[in-house]
Amino acid sequence: MGIQYDEGKRMFKLDTACTTYMIGISDEGYVGHVYYGKRLHRFGGKYLMRMEEMPYTPLVNQREKTSFLDFYPMEYPTGGVGDYRESCLDVRNSAGSIGSEIFYESHSITGGKPPLPELPASFGKEDEVDTLQIVCADPVLGLRVTLLYSVFEKEDVITRSVKIENSGTEELRLEKVYSAGLDMENRDFEMVSLCGSWARERHIQRAALRYGRQLVSSSKGESSHQEHPFLALVTPETTQETGEIYAMHFVYSGNFIAQTERTQFDYIRMVMGIHPDGFCWRLAPGESFQAPETVMTYSGSGFGKMSRSLHDFYREHLIRSPYKYKKRPILINNWEATYFDFNTEKLLDIAREAKKNGIEMLVMDDGWFGKRNWDDSSLGDWTVNQEKLTTGLPDLVSQVRSLGMEFGIWFEPEMISLDSELYRAHPDWAIQIPGRVPGLSRAQYVLDISRKEVRDYAYECMAKILRSAPITYVKWDMNRQLCDIGSTALPADAQGELLHRYVLGLYEMQERLVTEFPELLLENCSGGGARFDPGMLYYSPQIWCSDDTDAIERLKIQEGTALIYPLSTIGAHVSDCPNHIVGRQTSFETRGNVALAGTFGYELDITKISGEEREQIAGQVENCHKYRELIQAGDYYRITSWSDRKPYDCWEVAAKDGSHALVTFVQVLGQPNVHSKSIRLRGLESMASYRLEGTEAVYTGEELMECGFLIRDVKGDFQSKLYHFIRE
Ligand code: DGJ
């Protein structure tokens, strides 16, 4: 069992393979944080709660209580009673005041992990995870706060969430409910986060912690292109292999906050949860609120260990899709090939040529429904456009399938175009503030899917299409952020619930979809990667990473994404050049090699590219088949980074049993007057011999890992190469 309780010490010890997390209960019942870090063998360190340090000792000297609360390392800090650091919970009572204080009441330790109602959450069998629930109470408010900790021993992950129950007699209002807080002493921490924009998602950012609060967040109703629900604190020497990391990642797809605070005493408070801006939840007596889950991991061996812990964790304990480790069809998507300008014949031309080159699925993207010839109409009118699909959808699907290919389709179910039959019939179904003209984005509004009748409509439209033909893949897109946050269906005092209800509505729709179509391969997408988050992974094993398909831009985007997500989740396609977004010209080979580090596919008009490029597709497809299992299930190692101002980028995927490894090297810019470059591999068996495939060269594992492998054959800008080492 990964969780122990010492009755005498009133301490909990949560152990994973390499880490320990300890919680202590003070005599008064404050639940305090004691320790998180390298695995410890014995209980200890409760003195870190510093209960006896003046000016306040709770049982003796009540006078200085606020100075105590403003320093004590609280497991779940509450607001309004004297802890001036960021609180995790703000509760307004029926008299209108905010203030709560919680004390230990009881606890339970069980094998396994209970699901979180209505929310995506990690899961595991009884022998894989144990769960601690600490029940705390605020006797004044009649509030019960259950702190949930689930310990995934093998993956070095602890998940946290919180359930708030109103066990009193008055209605309460939750104005802030975070999912986790972590208080600790500063160790010159630097903050690492993932930031960007449309077409530049999830670039790695690192900066020293200043006094005060530093945060990343989203108020856009989705996890967003700009900031990511991930935060890590790292010691200054942290590299891929050295240094300590405390990371938090949020299993949620809406507004979030991930914040660190460096306090007057050089302590750190790290918090994560639903963004409190505009949030308010009514809690009537007897009701409860479940906060989403936060994933926490500690690495004492740098970023590489953190990445591999999270990759294993998401693969084993969050992604449910049957495609998790299964072969996924190599697809060709017509978006960059045709945009809105296509018809049955055009799609079949693409499919025929694709089939000849070994591609296995045609995905029909945006523009097949209503009168959608541009992005300014018809969202919500999910009927087939007969002018484009002249013989109907079932016939198109059947023709594609008779070629021996699968068929996939695009939807954007959460949206409604201003110019749509749906909007003309139900203008009140759009999210809006009555009396104010809501802001358009991409000429569309967002459907209020917090409403059941709206969800039912949108779901049924989609399901009807999927029932009409053997369609095996859906790309679920979402192309705008939310604003004008109002629902015509919610009472005035519940408008603060809309954004969370929206996310719950989204989860409910996706749950219905994967339940009704259990074999469907679902790919989430949001104008590229604006909703690439662990919440969505619970429903879809892959997510479109970015609309930027340029191989060089993708290096930073995919590096940031792979910092925390397995490669098997990263939608990556080979597209045409000059690249549609940056206008860059890169070799077809490099485009293929970069896309191989994800869910491989094509996004171009295969009938129009040069013969020389087309001829390379067969080899890329072969690579995809050959390395698929390795890429889906192997260990990822970041070797060097272009984002770290190196002129080249390099990563490796090694089989868990050390039997082989694939190294991808991309020379972004060629350099004059340099010698060959030595790169040190990882994850091999030291004493084994490895042959570089396609050559006679044999190296020992330790040679490759310690002396390095010499890159001598990559010349020019934007050039790349794959190296496959096989154990002999
Ligand atoms: C945004 C997606 O990221 C693209 O791949 C494409 O599906 C468009 N939307 C279609 O509108």
Side-chain angles (χ1 to χ4, degrees):
M1 172 89 33
I3 303 173
Q4 299 168 61
Y5 180 61
D6 185 319
E7 182 80 56
K9 294 191 167 78
R10 296 189 91 198
M11 281 182 78
F12 298 97
K13 185 165 180 284
L14 285 55
D15 290 320
T16 69
C18 306
T19 75
T20 290
Y21 189 99
M22 278 192 291
I23 300 167
I25 304 166
S26 77
D27 291 348
E28 309 70 22
Y30 291 118
V31 181
H33 180 69
V34 174
Y35 171 85
Y36 189 26
K38 188 177 161 204
R39 170 101 191 226
L40 302 183
H41 300 289
R42 314 250 303 258
F43 278 85
K46 198 174 175 190
Y47 47 81
L48 292 170
M49 285 171 30
R50 294 173 169 89
M51 296 305 294
E52 74 297 343
E53 282 184 22
M54 293 301 274
Y56 168 78
T57 52
L59 293 179
V60 182
N61 170 11
Q62 284 287 329
R63 277 182 22 167
E64 301 297 339
K65 185 172 166 193
T66 62
S67 67
F68 163 76
L69 286 178
D70 206 25
F71 175 77
Y72 182 77
M74 221 31 118
E75 270 299 307
Y76 192 68
T78 51
V81 292
D83 181 349
Y84 297 99
R85 297 165 291 177
E86 181 81 10
S87 59
C88 282
L89 179 69
D90 283 351
V91 186
R92 199 177 286 282
N93 66 14
S94 57
S97 302
I98 290 190
S100 57
E101 191 176 17
I102 57 172
F103 301 94
Y104 170 86
E105 222 180 49
S106 64
H107 74 266
S108 67
I109 297 173
T110 48
K113 179 174 187 287
L116 301 186
E118 300 182 83
L119 285 164
S122 59
F123 49 82
K125 301 197 198 87
E126 288 214 356
D127 59 348
E128 296 171 328
V129 55
D130 299 311
T131 298
L132 164 67
Q133 305 202 23
I134 304 179
V135 181
C136 304
D138 181 329
V140 178
L141 289 178
L143 193 73
R144 252 221 170 91
V145 176
T146 305
L147 310 179
L148 289 113
Y149 301 80
S150 293
V151 179
F152 292 84
E153 193 171 347
K154 195 166 159 219
E155 290 80 15
D156 286 317
V157 160
I158 297 175
T159 62
R160 294 185 52 184
S161 71
V162 177
K163 182 178 164 193
I164 315 288
E165 287 167 274
N166 184 348
S167 46
T169 51
E170 292 175 358
E171 175 160 315
L172 301 171
R173 297 174 72 80
L174 306 178
E175 302 206 345
K176 185 203 281 183
V177 186
Y178 290 165
S179 298
L182 181 61
D183 284 1
M184 53 190 170
E185 230 157 310
N186 188 16
R187 294 216 297 279
D188 293 330
F189 284 125
E190 296 172 6
M191 173 169 148
V192 173
S193 56
L194 299 174
C195 298
S197 182
W198 172 76
R200 275 191 280 115
E201 296 91 336
R202 291 175 296 286
H203 287 197
I204 299 170
Q205 170 175 264
R206 177 171 176 170
L209 275 195
R210 300 181 305 272
Y211 281 101
R213 295 173 187 186
Q214 267 161 270
L215 67 138
V216 286
S217 68
S218 166
S219 309
K220 297 186 159 72
E222 57 177 356
S223 41
S224 92
H225 293 105
Q226 288 77 12
E227 289 167 24
H228 196 76
F230 165 80
L231 182 66
L233 291 182
V234 309
T235 47
E237 73 283 7
T238 299
T239 64
Q240 282 298 316
E241 285 166 25
T242 57
E244 292 184 87
I245 304 182
Y246 295 86
M248 283 188 182
H249 200 186
F250 203 26
V251 188
Y252 191 62
S253 311
N255 285 359
F256 75 88
I257 184 166
Q259 181 177 283
T260 55
E261 178 175 2
R262 185 173 169 191
T263 73
Q264 55 183 331
F265 303 114
D266 210 12
Y267 264 64
I268 299 294
R269 174 166 287 173
M270 185 177 181
V271 295
M272 181 167 273
I274 294 178
H275 203 305
D277 276 6
F279 172 84
C280 187
W281 199 270
R282 297 160 302 169
L283 207 63
E287 284 182 350
S288 63
F289 178 85
Q290 175 64 58
E293 179 164 278
T294 288
V295 172
M296 247 174 27
T297 191
Y298 164 84
S299 160
S301 322
F303 290 113
K305 160 77 176 122
M306 177 197 76
S307 300
R308 288 184 291 281
S309 296
L310 290 175
H311 291 189
D312 287 346
F313 177 70
Y314 290 135
R315 285 188 293 218
E316 292 300 319
H317 300 294
L318 187 68
I319 300 172
R320 300 176 297 169
S321 164
Y323 283 94
K324 177 157 54 179
Y325 292 117
K326 229 170 77 178
K327 183 185 146 7
R328 303 181 201 169
I330 298 176
L331 63 83
I332 185 159
N333 178 305
N334 74 308
W335 178 242
E336 286 196 30
T338 64
Y339 295 105
F340 296 98
D341 185 16
F342 63 86
N343 58 21
T344 301
E345 262 326 296
K346 181 69 212 169
L347 293 175
L348 287 174
D349 283 349
I350 292 177
R352 281 186 212 107
E353 194 55 51
K355 173 65 189 171
K356 276 194 234 157
N357 290 279
I359 297 171
E360 300 158 321
M361 178 161 73
L362 174 77
V363 175
M364 178 173 68
D365 210 280
D366 193 356
W368 57 265
F369 52 93
K371 299 192 192 96
R372 190 143 166 110
N373 295 316
W374 194 242
D375 66 5
D376 55 359
S377 85
S378 304
L379 292 169
D381 301 343
W382 299 104
T383 49
V384 172
N385 179 328
Q386 297 287 345
E387 283 168 29
K388 287 186 182 175
L389 305 190
T390 42
T391 56
L393 181 65
D395 178 69
L396 171 63
V397 177
S398 140
Q399 293 208 55
V400 170
R401 288 179 68 85
S402 66
L403 293 172
M405 291 178 86
E406 294 182 52
F407 188 90
I409 195 166
W410 177 99
F411 286 101
E412 196 176 359
E414 299 155 70
M415 296 293 151
I416 178 167
S417 295
L418 180 60
D419 178 11
S420 65
E421 297 305 326
L422 185 64
Y423 188 76
R424 286 183 273 279
H426 295 287
D428 63 310
W429 281 15
I431 286 183
Q432 61 197 279
I433 300 172
R436 183 178 291 279
V437 179
L440 281 166
S441 176
R442 216 194 189 207
Q444 66 202 51
Y445 291 134
V446 183
L447 277 175
D448 181 0
I449 55 167
S450 73
R451 294 169 66 168
K452 184 168 177 338
E453 69 277 27
V454 177
R455 284 200 299 277
D456 287 349
Y457 169 84
Y459 178 78
E460 269 309 311
C461 290
M462 195 167 40
K464 211 164 132 196
I465 296 281
L466 295 178
R467 288 176 206 130
S468 74
I471 297 172
T472 51
Y473 162 106
V474 162
K475 177 175 173 186
W476 179 311
D477 204 348
M478 194 273 197
N479 281 301
R480 63 158 291 179
Q481 65 287 1
L482 278 60
C483 65
D484 302 288
I485 307 307
S487 168
T488 52
L490 284 174
D493 64 347
Q495 293 292 332
E497 300 176 10
L498 176 58
L499 286 180
H500 183 55
R501 289 189 183 279
Y502 179 92
V503 178
L504 296 180
L506 165 70
Y507 291 151
E508 193 231 63
M509 287 173 73
Q510 296 221 339
E511 188 66 40
R512 273 162 88 172
L513 187 67
V514 298
T515 306
E516 182 175 348
F517 304 97
E519 296 306 318
L520 187 76
L521 173 56
L522 177 62
E523 175 155 0
N524 270 292
C525 170
S526 180
R531 212 163 50 187
F532 201 124
D533 58 61
M536 301 318 286
L537 279 189
Y538 188 67
Y539 305 95
S540 67
Q542 61 193 57
I543 304 177
W544 183 229
C545 181
S546 175
D547 277 344
D548 198 329
T549 51
D550 172 67
I552 301 304
E553 287 302 309
R554 275 286 180 132
L555 296 177
K556 287 181 186 169
I557 299 171
Q558 293 183 193
E559 180 187 0
T561 308
L563 182 71
I564 49 181
Y565 295 99
L567 302 187
S568 63
T569 64
I570 301 175
H573 297 167
V574 175
S575 65
D576 204 3
C577 272
N579 181 268
H580 291 198
I581 288 182
V582 289
R584 185 177 286 129
Q585 196 81 44
T586 52
S587 70
F588 203 74
E589 184 185 18
T590 292
R591 283 176 262 159
N593 288 344
V594 173
L596 196 60
T599 61
F600 190 77
Y602 291 86
E603 182 123 0
L604 41 71
D605 188 343
I606 193 171
T607 66
K608 288 194 181 143
I609 57 173
S610 71
E612 198 194 315
E613 290 190 335
R614 201 175 308 119
E615 276 165 22
Q616 294 180 54
I617 293 181
Q620 293 181 341
V621 164
E622 195 188 315
N623 275 346
C624 180
H625 291 308
K626 180 170 162 190
Y627 299 123
R628 174 193 61 85
E629 280 179 44
L630 177 65
I631 289 166
Q632 271 183 329
D635 281 338
Y636 168 83
Y637 294 88
R638 169 53 55 174
I639 310 287
T640 62
S641 297
W642 182 49
S643 68
D644 204 15
R645 290 191 285 276
K646 299 279 189 322
Y648 34 75
D649 208 61
C650 183
W651 63 92
E652 175 193 341
V653 185
K656 284 199 180 284
D657 63 1
S659 57
H660 64 139
L662 179 69
V663 174
T664 309
F665 184 89
V666 181
Q667 179 156 290
V668 179
L669 293 176
Q671 289 181 296
N673 193 20
V674 285
H675 286 280
S676 57
K677 168 81 196 142
S678 149
I679 54 155
R680 300 206 300 172
L681 270 56
R682 292 288 167 253
L684 304 178
E685 208 184 299
S686 300
M687 300 314 283
S689 297
Y690 289 84
R691 191 173 47 80
L692 173 60
E693 197 182 12
T695 73
E696 295 301 310
V698 175
Y699 305 84
T700 62
E702 62 180 2
E703 223 178 346
L704 290 170
M705 293 194 290
E706 304 309 326
C707 309
F709 168 70
L710 290 183
I711 306 276
R712 346 178 187 232
D713 47 357
V714 185
K715 294 256 177 314
D717 297 343
F718 314 143
Q719 299 304 313
S720 66
K721 194 124 195 217
L722 302 176
Y723 302 94
H724 189 208
F725 295 90
I726 305 167
R727 191 171 59 197
E728 296 218 307

